[in-house]
Amino acid sequence: MDTSAFLRHLTTQPTYSGQIAYCEPVPPREANFAELDRPLDCNLQDCLREGGLFPLYTHQAEAVSRIRQGSNVMVSTSSASGKSLCYNIPVLEAILAKATSRALYLFPTKALAQDQLSGLRELFCPHLLRYEQVATFDGDTPPAERPEIRKQARIVLTNPDMLHIGILPNHGSWSRLLRHLSYVVVDEAHVYRGVFGSHVALVLRRLRRLCRLYGSTPQFICCSATIDNPGEHAQKLVGLPFTVVDNDGSPHGGKEFVFWNPPIIDEAKSLRRSANSEAANLFTELVSHDIRALTFTRTRRLTELIYNYSRQRLAELSPPHARRIKAYRAGYLPEQRRQIEQELFNGQLL
């Protein structure tokens, strides 16, 4: 069932009361490719070509060229546009060119770091890097493995909290990384806003001060979803001038952009149906039609509530589908989260 057919299906349901307030089709887009200012290392290009990631989209080529020129770069393009290559390519070039070069990747969640770790190892190990040279360092990292990560990892994937409490206060133990740090990558930079963004901005300034202490001046590469002020946001976050790359050359299929407004259930009190109930209903409808879906919530408690409601509803509608959803949140054991991630990546979960 395609998106348009699913939306028509929703309007026939007994619970539908005009919730679709606005719908706009987004037409498909063809890919636009571009050449780099100079060729890639042959081994790196072979890895990318084998992974189906070459030639590069226009924004990827522009970002890599700008980074090569020494600029701090903010890449602001759509989801699934291949932003990770914008920083992986220059990082790998630096590592291949200089035996001591290091990079630090910051992600807002452990799950994103694990996803990127898997992608890096699959694409570049063991051809360009040894497996132990790419590692996550977060609260889930076993204490026994941490000394080896500090010693051997050339790309360290972590999050702002761990940078704040695990790396910066113990900078003497991380001197090898800080002394040879070539790049700092801040992925999902649009997440760092408000009070949380202010905290992360201060942590990044601490990182820059320690880098100066150890004699390094890393370039910063930020990636963000499409926002109105990417350059201003990156500059306030990191405290440095940035070059913006937002000429998105990636292809995508057609989409439907929908505003869903919960219906009024008491006009006198202006009460609407719960947005959480509406989200759970939409989620169960999607899954029951074999459409893969993610439902994001703001709290751990809501995650469990929507999961339990959806599982009960699916047990009534289609019992096999009830076994193909899971909740995922902070507070689970690392082993549980890794298992859920793997089940999602390999298609066991819808």
Side-chain angles (χ1 to χ4, degrees):
M1 183 182 291
D2 63 23
T3 312
S4 299
F6 179 73
L7 290 174
R8 288 194 298 271
H9 164 75
L10 289 177
T11 63
T12 66
Q13 299 303 296
T15 55
Y16 184 75
S17 304
Q19 289 101 316
I20 297 179
Y22 179 77
C23 183
E24 179 175 328
V26 179
R29 182 178 65 200
E30 296 293 325
N32 287 315
F33 301 102
E35 295 287 334
L36 288 167
D37 53 353
R38 66 174 187 271
L40 290 172
D41 174 273
C42 293
N43 293 324
L44 176 55
Q45 182 167 310
D46 288 345
C47 277
L48 296 176
R49 200 180 295 280
E50 286 176 19
L53 301 173
F54 201 83
L56 301 178
Y57 301 136
T58 50
H59 65 281
Q60 293 172 331
E62 181 185 355
V64 172
S65 297
R66 297 279 191 179
I67 293 164
R68 283 172 164 179
Q69 294 163 13
S71 298
N72 301 302
V73 169
M74 167 61 132
V75 183
S76 179
T77 55
S78 58
S79 298
S81 58
K83 289 190 285 287
S84 60
L85 274 193
C86 296
Y87 53 80
N88 282 334
I89 288 174
V91 165
L92 264 293
E93 281 192 323
I95 286 174
L96 292 173
K98 190 175 181 182
T100 57
S101 182
R102 300 287 192 275
L104 181 68
Y105 289 13
L106 296 177
F107 300 95
T109 66
K110 295 175 185 177
L112 281 171
Q114 287 294 329
D115 185 34
Q116 285 294 321
L117 175 69
S118 175
L120 277 167
R121 285 180 169 173
E122 183 178 345
L123 190 59
F124 300 119
C125 296
H127 309 294
L128 303 181
L129 292 168
R130 300 193 308 274
Y131 285 95
E132 63 272 16
Q133 291 181 316
V134 187
T136 54
F137 186 83
D138 55 35
D140 294 345
T141 306
E145 296 179 12
R146 296 183 182 192
E148 283 303 307
I149 291 173
R150 289 194 291 266
K151 181 180 177 181
Q152 297 197 49
R154 302 190 64 184
I155 301 176
V156 176
L157 298 85
T158 188
N159 55 68
D161 294 312
M162 199 63 179
L163 178 62
H164 169 59
I165 64 171
I167 296 178
L168 299 185
N170 305 301
H171 56 85
S173 301
W174 289 91
S175 59
R176 184 175 302 184
L177 172 76
L178 295 169
R179 185 173 293 112
H180 301 292
L181 195 57
S182 300
Y183 292 105
V184 177
V185 173
V186 184
D187 204 359
E188 304 291 326
H190 57 278
V191 171
Y192 304 122
R193 61 186 189 271
V195 174
F196 180 45
S198 298
H199 290 323
V200 174
L202 293 173
V203 171
L204 292 176
R205 281 156 178 78
R206 284 174 58 207
L207 171 63
R208 288 174 51 212
R209 285 200 301 272
L210 282 169
C211 286
R212 287 197 298 272
L213 175 67
Y214 285 94
S216 66
T217 53
Q219 282 177 252
F220 281 77
I221 308 168
C222 294
C223 293
S224 165
T226 305
I227 55 176
D228 283 339
N229 60 336
E232 178 190 5
H233 178 68
Q235 184 164 339
K236 287 184 175 180
L237 184 64
V238 178
L240 294 169
F242 272 80
T243 298
V244 174
V245 173
D246 56 5
N247 179 25
D248 192 343
S250 63
H252 63 68
K255 305 175 185 178
E256 298 285 349
F257 188 81
V258 182
F259 276 112
W260 186 274
N261 200 19
I264 292 176
I265 55 177
D266 189 332
E267 290 192 13
K269 296 180 180 179
S270 296
L271 289 178
R272 292 186 179 271
R273 191 182 297 165
S274 163
N276 300 321
S277 298
E278 293 287 282
N281 287 336
L282 284 169
F283 178 69
T284 53
E285 282 296 325
L286 286 161
V287 172
S288 65
H289 286 83
D290 291 316
I291 300 171
R292 300 188 76 193
L294 291 172
T295 301
F296 290 89
T297 69
R298 292 187 178 273
T299 66
R300 301 180 187 188
R301 181 172 175 272
L302 273 179
T303 300
E304 295 296 340
L305 285 173
I306 290 179
Y307 167 64
N308 287 330
Y309 177 86
S310 301
R311 187 176 57 178
Q312 292 166 9
R313 177 95 172 115
L314 285 168
E316 299 169 2
L317 292 173
S318 175
H321 288 96
R323 296 187 291 272
R324 298 191 67 190
I325 66 169
K326 280 189 178 178
Y328 181 96
R329 59 168 176 78
Y332 287 175
L333 293 172
E335 298 79 18
Q336 291 176 289
R337 290 202 297 273
R338 298 298 90 79
Q339 181 183 350
I340 295 168
E341 291 161 10
Q342 192 58 42
E343 290 174 355
L344 180 64
F345 298 154
N346 64 26
Q348 287 177 253
L349 295 180
L350 280 172

